[in-house]
Amino acid sequence: MLFKFHHALPCSQKPSFLLKDQWTKVMRSVNMENLRTGYLFPEQAMALSTVEGYSGYGDEQGEKALRKRIAEKFYKNMDVKWEEVFVSDGAQCDISRVQMLFGSHVTVAVQNPSFPAYIDSSVIFGRAGNLQEQNGKYERIVYMECTPQNDFFPDLSNTPRTDIIFFCSPNNPTGTAASASQLRRLVDFATANGSIIVYDSSYAAYISDGSPTSIFQIPGAKQVAIEISSFSKFAGFTGVRLGWTVVPKELSYSNGFPIVKDYDRIVCTCFNGASNIVQAGGLACLSTEGFQAVSKVLNHYKENAKILIEAFRGLGMEVYGGENAPYLWVHFPGSSSWEVFAEILEKTHILTIPGRGFGPGGESYIRVSSFGHRQTILEASKRLTSSLRKFNFN
Amino acid sequence: MLFKFHHALPCSQKPSFLLKDQWTKVMRSVNMENLRTGYLFPEQAMALSTVEGYSGYGDEQGEKALRKRIAEKFYKNMDVKWEEVFVSDGAQCDISRVQMLFGSHVTVAVQNPSFPAYIDSSVIFGRAGNLQEQNGKYERIVYMECTPQNDFFPDLSNTPRTDIIFFCSPNNPTGTAASASQLRRLVDFATANGSIIVYDSSYAAYISDGSPTSIFQIPGAKQVAIEISSFSKFAGFTGVRLGWTVVPKELSYSNGFPIVKDYDRIVCTCFNGASNIVQAGGLACLSTEGFQAVSKVLNHYKENAKILIEAFRGLGMEVYGGENAPYLWVHFPGSSSWEVFAEILEKTHILTIPGRGFGPGGESYIRVSSFGHRQTILEASKRLTSSLRKFNFN
């Protein structure tokens, strides 16, 4: 992904052009609370070489300015306070960090298919039980089936109660976003059962149809949900590592103890804050110019997704996702997802992901990513159209 | 801490002076394996704005070049392979990450006093039992007393067997480094008991008297020890977040399963790698110029420590540490560490750390840090000498 924010500043203002004492003045003028442009990201790295710009340990929970900006930008009118926002080194890390709250004996439900980390970390924390060969499922995990038949939203009337419900929307891999009425049902279900929803909104920036971008848009969600999110797909921070988690003050254990207090303790003990340079980069993405630049890149990927949808639909295939997510979920009914993956790779040299990697519910699907240069996507589209037309996936 | 590596390059070579196509050429010439100077750190942040320089997810275990450099630089002749080095976002995070290997039912020993994270994370993982009011100790933790009487090395003949032994050398807070013969006894003790040593060498760069800088200097340690270390105090990366953990292939659970395989799984599932920008910075510190620059700063702090030792000794106080660590451990026999802390703060406006914060074994001590500008250290020394002479700490 491109990361061109510094082009917003004319070259003559770039601090690396300045002599050292001028530099010092520039650094003194940098105010994290008042950041105007996206240029601070590399500047912050350079600043560490100056007496004025060097910073040691920050708050384990994240820079206050960044926590505030996240609360304002992503949770407007949702009554999320900055103290409830914990900055992290990415959503995947926070999935495990949240697991530390609950110990080994809680029960867990996940969407099927789903991003593997929910189950994998549950296995590591000792709550999954044995893997059952007959169906590829762990015996103590509740799998909430998400298929085209149920609009990729689980049938909650058939879902057993669990302590924790992992729910990802827009979903990775299916690319579908839950609607407000679906999330209303989910929150009601959790409320009635005394369950905690761990809501993963890492792909929320891709939502285009007005679906909720946060579980906290649903009244009452603050009593039952934690939300995990990320800069990885929103701003191309995959290798840079930045995310956040919202733990509402209203959320408590069954004995009334506020979960946010334990989470704060975990963050301070088992984590020590995201990198200061990286946080400066995150803040830059949430400035006016930064957000515009990020939105431009997001739109680029959304257009990529449209091109890929068209290619697969042109081949007569059922395609889901791609509208509210960077991922397409392409159905090859009756086929093995690994065989489809291998055949596409062999015939077109295009890498997809076999759906089976996202759990047994991913069988007969592949996940297709729209993260790429336009030229690559157009070339992929061309190859798919010309090569796959000849093949017959049962 | 100063971080001035980029001064090693003349200004005319700084890429931000270049036009975009020249920039592209510069970025193409950047070879992580072949890095010559410390300048890449900010450059790497800037590189993310280019098509050529953008990088997404890296290896969860860390950049191969950095893992190799760490193995070469810190574990020469110790038979540590780069595949055994896992790059992290800091030692504190790895202390908890290592805890994930062992579940809730293992028994744990710690030095008393010690860095709080060993006990705090053991509490979070459910293995500490209750805090006992009469002695301030957790009932299921074994406290290995470290005092001037035993040269700050525990009496192992009196130490009950535990599954895990946390051992920090040079120690935070006492500032003392274990000798080769002491570590030999520790490794023998762990071998005889089938215990695993989690060895924290975060302050190893401060060792001046030839004491081992790694547990792996002791033959046989690879069978019984994991080593956690950090760029925080070695290179001023506290807020930048970078560290590493060595898990030797020879180390296994009692059933013979290699621990490194589980650790790799934890790193891939519950972590997702340290920030790519930060890793580039770490690599820069391990280049020839980078290492020289870091060593210069380390020597600066070592001199600070000498100045502070002199000040406290001049007041007739017993001072430990400071020779092999950035910390002094100053004894005020019979006094409460919080009262000493408060009195010093009030009379001299100098912040120390009450020893009690490091466990009951820290009572009647304060920890003094040498991390500061020379002018600050000299001023502190002056104030201590003139103000404290008048006070009588029982």
Side-chain angles (χ1 to χ4, degrees), chain A residues 52-352:
Chain A
E52 291 77 15
Y54 179 75
S55 63
Y57 292 116
D59 291 341
E60 293 93 336
Q61 303 89 345
E63 293 281 352
K64 189 173 161 185
L66 181 56
R67 299 171 80 187
K68 281 186 158 177
R69 197 65 68 90
I70 289 170
E72 285 161 18
K73 207 79 191 172
F74 297 108
Y75 300 102
K76 211 176 170 180
N77 304 324
M78 294 180 221
D79 191 31
V80 169
K81 293 166 194 72
W82 68 266
E83 299 96 325
E84 297 170 319
V85 176
F86 294 81
V87 176
S88 77
D89 56 337
Q92 181 155 350
C93 312
D94 269 354
I95 289 165
S96 285
R97 220 165 268 134
V98 161
Q99 299 262 37
M100 284 191 198
L101 287 167
F102 305 121
S104 293
H105 302 297
V106 295
T107 51
V108 171
V110 298
Q111 287 153 298
N112 183 29
S114 67
F115 179 53
Y118 313 127
I119 289 180
D120 291 350
S121 61
S122 296
V123 170
I124 287 174
F125 278 84
R127 17 185 126 102
N130 293 319
L131 184 64
Q132 303 164 113
E133 275 188 31
Q134 73 273 22
N135 60 10
K137 295 180 178 180
Y138 286 92
E139 56 182 351
R140 291 189 55 218
I141 302 273
V142 169
Y143 290 76
M144 304 184 291
E145 307 300 334
C146 294
T147 65
Q149 285 69 45
N150 62 18
D151 196 19
F152 295 102
F153 187 82
D155 179 358
L156 296 175
S157 68
N158 277 333
T159 303
R161 182 210 172 271
T162 56
D163 300 308
I164 312 297
I165 301 168
F166 282 103
F167 198 92
C168 178
S169 176
N171 187 269
N172 176 8
T174 71
T176 50
S179 68
S181 70
Q182 288 171 334
L183 290 181
R184 175 76 267 159
R185 271 142 62 198
L186 182 66
V187 168
D188 289 344
F189 179 73
T191 307
N193 288 328
S195 307
I196 292 173
I197 301 165
V198 179
Y199 191 81
D200 184 343
S201 66
S202 296
Y203 297 92
Y206 290 85
I207 289 178
S208 308
D209 72 351
S211 297
T213 53
S214 164
I215 187 79
F216 300 122
Q217 284 180 244
I218 311 302
K222 288 191 88 187
Q223 277 74 25
V224 295
I226 288 169
E227 182 163 305
I228 295 176
S229 202
S230 174
F231 280 78
S232 289
K233 308 300 164 18
F234 155 64
F237 268 42
T238 46
V240 178
R241 315 303 307 133
L242 194 68
W244 72 88
T245 286
V246 176
V247 184
K249 288 184 179 168
E250 291 87 338
L251 184 68
S252 57
Y253 295 107
S254 51
N255 68 359
F257 188 84
I259 288 182
V260 69
K261 289 197 179 178
D262 266 9
Y263 195 66
D264 188 79
R265 197 172 159 201
I266 287 170
V267 165
C268 293
T269 305
C270 307
F271 182 52
N272 216 340
S275 171
N276 48 12
I277 303 170
V278 172
Q279 291 190 69
L283 198 51
C285 294
L286 301 183
S287 67
T288 309
E289 290 91 334
F291 206 75
Q292 278 167 0
V294 167
S295 303
K296 215 169 144 183
V297 179
L298 288 171
N299 284 331
H300 182 86
Y301 291 135
K302 286 181 188 178
E303 283 161 25
N304 281 353
K306 277 186 200 156
I307 295 169
L308 290 168
I309 289 176
E310 212 168 295
F312 281 106
R313 292 226 170 111
L315 292 164
M317 281 152 196
E318 293 173 75
V319 183
Y320 304 96
E323 189 191 354
N324 293 318
Y327 299 132
L328 281 60
W329 189 234
V330 189
H331 200 184
F332 295 82
S335 296
S336 139
S337 67
W338 273 101
E339 281 174 21
V340 174
F341 158 80
E343 185 136 2
I344 293 179
L345 181 60
E346 201 178 311
K347 304 300 181 202
T348 68
H349 296 183
I350 292 170
L351 266 177
T352 61

Side-chain angles (χ1 to χ4, degrees), chain B residues 81-296:
Chain B
K81 294 166 193 69
W82 69 266
E83 299 95 327
E84 298 170 319
V85 176
F86 295 81
V87 177
S88 77
D89 57 337
Q92 181 155 348
C93 313
D94 269 355
I95 290 166
S96 285
R97 221 166 267 134
V98 161
Q99 300 263 37
M100 283 191 197
L101 287 166
F102 305 121
S104 291
H105 302 297
V106 295
T107 50
V108 171
V110 297
Q111 288 153 296
N112 183 30
S114 68
F115 179 54
Y118 314 126
I119 289 180
D120 291 350
S121 60
S122 297
V123 170
I124 286 174
F125 277 84
R127 11 184 132 104
N130 292 320
L131 185 64
Q132 304 164 113
E133 276 189 31
Q134 73 272 24
N135 60 9
K137 296 180 177 179
Y138 285 92
E139 54 181 352
R140 291 189 54 219
I141 301 273
V142 169
Y143 291 75
M144 304 184 293
E145 306 301 335
C146 296
T147 65
Q149 284 70 46
N150 61 18
D151 196 20
F152 295 102
F153 187 82
D155 179 358
L156 297 175
S157 68
N158 277 333
T159 302
R161 182 210 172 271
T162 56
D163 300 308
I164 312 298
I165 302 168
F166 282 103
F167 198 92
C168 177
S169 176
N171 186 269
N172 177 8
T174 69
T176 51
S179 67
S181 69
Q182 287 172 334
L183 291 181
R184 175 76 268 160
R185 273 143 60 198
L186 182 67
V187 169
D188 290 344
F189 179 73
T191 307
N193 287 330
S195 306
I196 292 172
I197 301 165
V198 179
Y199 191 81
D200 184 342
S201 65
S202 295
Y203 297 92
Y206 290 85
I207 289 178
S208 309
D209 72 352
S211 298
T213 54
S214 164
I215 188 80
F216 299 123
Q217 283 179 244
I218 311 302
K222 289 191 86 186
Q223 277 74 25
V224 295
I226 288 169
E227 181 163 307
I228 295 177
S229 202
S230 172
F231 280 79
S232 290
K233 308 300 163 23
F234 156 64
F237 268 42
T238 47
V240 177
R241 315 303 307 134
L242 194 68
W244 72 87
T245 286
V246 176
V247 185
K249 288 184 179 168
E250 290 87 339
L251 185 67
S252 58
Y253 295 107
S254 52
N255 68 0
F257 188 84
I259 288 181
V260 69
K261 289 197 179 177
D262 266 10
Y263 195 66
D264 188 78
R265 197 171 158 201
I266 286 170
V267 164
C268 294
T269 305
C270 307
F271 182 52
N272 217 340
S275 171
N276 47 11
I277 304 169
V278 173
Q279 290 191 70
L283 199 50
C285 294
L286 301 184
S287 68
T288 308
E289 289 91 335
F291 205 76
Q292 278 167 359
V294 166
S295 303
K296 216 169 142 182

Side-chain angles (χ1 to χ4, degrees), chain B residues 25-59:
Chain B
K25 277 183 218 151
V26 169
M27 288 320 303
R28 282 206 186 111
S29 74
V30 168
N31 182 336
M32 292 286 279
E33 302 267 353
N34 234 335
L35 186 68
R36 232 198 78 250
T37 77
Y39 189 61
L40 188 63
F41 192 14
E43 199 169 297
Q44 179 78 5
M46 303 286 267
L48 290 172
S49 71
T50 68
V51 172
E52 291 77 14
Y54 178 75
S55 63
Y57 292 118
D59 291 341

